[in-house]
Amino acid sequence: MKRLLLCFAFVGMASTLCAQEGGDMLVSGSLSWNSASTKTTVSGTSETAKGARSFEFIPQFHYFVIDKLSVGLGIGYSMYKEPNGQFGTDDEQLFDKTGLFSLQPMVSYYVSLGKKFYYVPRFYIGFGFGKNKSELESNETSERNASMFRVGLSLLNFEFRPVDRIGIMFNAGSLGYETLTVKEDGDNKLSSRDFSLGLNLGATIGFNYYF
């Protein structure tokens, strides 16, 4: 099994020397890509099968309502692609693809660990709406409405402030729940659920810029 994970975040402009005080603002964002494949070797002959893939882009804006406490909103797009167990006329793997536009409100609290280090636990909740496309044949697909709901708590979220206006975020663990629902014919629905708790071995690093 091969697995490649790329996560990073980038931000815009800011104009104040103080941060984490009531009235301060920051902008940030996240861009992630996840890909998996399986390689099988039989009698010296190797064959690689494509696995699940995902892409997500969420710009974020945060406002400090009081000192050390910020509320934020992320608006983004995500794409999930995974094998559906079907094969085309040329024996190629067929996929289910889901594209979603999402809103993700969040609340963060900053706890100082020193002059430039902060512990930043964050609670978030997200909603997404879009389409699911399932490949039935090489040139035939079915399209259905899809929705997503997620909620979680980033428990191991830290920030390093090398200069006044820039923060480098590091997330190494979280508690989360996510469900993806695809509407079938009539009133039928197909739902998948995912619950996660533990350390994030592919830790996410991001950057914040403060207003």
Side-chain angles (χ1 to χ4, degrees), residues 92-148:
E92 74 275 17
Q93 174 69 63
L94 300 180
F95 291 84
D96 285 345
K97 305 174 184 178
T98 304
L100 300 169
F101 291 95
S102 61
L103 295 175
Q104 185 165 295
M106 61 199 78
V107 178
S108 306
Y109 187 76
Y110 287 71
V111 179
S112 177
L113 300 178
K115 186 177 181 180
K116 297 184 177 182
F117 293 90
Y118 298 87
Y119 171 54
V120 191
R122 173 174 293 170
F123 172 78
Y124 62 87
I125 184 170
F127 311 88
F129 304 91
K131 296 289 185 179
N132 170 269
K133 296 182 180 180
S134 181
E135 297 177 338
L136 305 178
E137 299 288 346
S138 299
N139 298 312
E140 181 182 355
T141 62
S142 65
E143 184 174 283
R144 299 163 293 181
N145 292 325
S147 61
M148 176 273 294

Side-chain angles (χ1 to χ4, degrees), residues 36-98:
S37 63
T38 302
K39 183 177 181 180
T40 304
T41 302
V42 178
S43 300
T45 302
S46 297
E47 181 177 343
T48 300
K50 295 180 179 179
R53 299 179 182 181
S54 66
F55 167 85
E56 187 171 57
F57 173 56
I58 306 180
Q60 300 172 13
F61 172 80
H62 300 258
Y63 178 78
F64 284 83
V65 291
I66 58 175
D67 292 355
K68 301 182 180 181
L69 180 67
S70 72
V71 295
L73 177 65
I75 302 177
Y77 175 78
S78 60
M79 187 278 292
Y80 305 90
K81 180 179 179 180
E82 60 182 357
N84 61 15
Q86 304 296 321
F87 294 87
T89 54
D90 294 328
D91 204 32
E92 74 275 17
Q93 174 69 63
L94 300 180
F95 291 84
D96 285 345
K97 305 174 184 178
T98 304

Side-chain angles (χ1 to χ4, degrees), residues 1-6 33-38 52 54 200 202:
M1 173 69 70
K2 294 182 179 178
R3 185 177 181 87
L4 179 62
L5 175 65
L6 173 64
W33 180 67
N34 191 350
S35 177
S37 63
T38 302
S54 66
N200 180 7

